[in-house]
């Protein structure tokens, strides 16, 4: 059995397959998934699993070089914005939500959470450990 916090097989396989510059999206329950981008649907019910919990577990295994947020997050969801800021992720980039959704078309996968608060979405771009 794995010793790290991430137990989901699909997420483990996804993270293990990432190369430098590849991206994944972790999104709220309402984020549209672009056609052709695989979906790993973790949503069980409203709020389960939560966005921040999911991001934290993914970060336990993924080397992140950069992250992208929607510019609307700070104004429309300051609680989540503050929680993301506390994660001290490298390379913050901010895009309008429509541009964020367009950028998600290049993701290796979208991970859907049960989060039901606005703009609780992030794109994580893989770095390298060396």
């Amino acid at each position: 059995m794995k010793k790290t916090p991430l137990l989901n097989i699909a997420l483990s396989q996804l993270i293990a397959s990432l190369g430098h510059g590849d991206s994944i999206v972790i999104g709220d329950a309402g984020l549209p998934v672009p056609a052709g981008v695989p979906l790993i649907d973790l949503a069980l019910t409203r709020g389960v699993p939560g966005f921040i919990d999911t991001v934290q577990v993914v970060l336990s295994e993924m080397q992140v070089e950069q992250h992208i947020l929607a510019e609307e997050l700070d104004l429309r969801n300051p609680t989540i914005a503050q929680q993301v800021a506390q994660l001290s992720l490298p390379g913050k980039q901010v895009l309008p939500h429509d541009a964020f959704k367009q950028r998600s078309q290049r993701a290796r996968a979208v991970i859907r959470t049960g989060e039901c608060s606005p703009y609780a979405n992030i794109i994580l771009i893989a770095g390298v450990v060396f």
Side-chain angles (χ1 to χ4, degrees):
M1 181 146 187
K2 288 181 59 129
K3 291 170 73 173
T4 60
L6 181 57
L7 298 177
N8 184 283
I9 293 169
L11 286 180
S12 290
Q13 289 175 331
L14 171 64
I15 293 168
S17 74
L18 295 175
H20 185 217
D22 285 342
S23 63
I24 64 171
V25 177
I26 301 174
D28 59 36
L31 183 69
V33 178
V37 176
L39 170 65
I40 299 174
D41 195 345
L42 304 179
L44 297 175
T45 189
R46 293 177 74 81
V48 179
F51 172 74
I52 291 296
D53 290 334
T54 304
V55 172
Q56 289 175 320
V57 172
V58 168
L59 292 175
S60 74
E61 291 204 13
M62 181 180 174
Q63 181 69 34
V64 174
E65 176 176 276
Q66 183 180 5
H67 70 289
I68 303 170
L69 301 168
E71 66 183 16
E72 293 86 349
L73 179 64
D74 283 338
L75 184 60
R76 299 285 309 277
N77 197 342
T79 301
I80 292 287
Q82 181 180 18
Q83 291 173 334
V84 170
Q86 290 173 346
L87 296 173
S88 299
L89 291 167
K92 180 178 178 180
Q93 183 180 357
V94 178
L95 300 173
H97 188 59
D98 285 338
F100 180 97
K101 291 188 291 187
Q102 287 182 346
R103 174 60 177 82
S104 69
Q105 294 174 358
R106 299 188 342 228
R108 292 281 307 279
V110 172
I111 301 160
R112 180 179 298 166
T113 69
E115 186 70 43
C116 290
S117 63
Y119 302 101
N121 307 297
I122 192 168
I123 297 173
L124 300 175
I125 300 171
V128 293
V129 295
F130 55 87

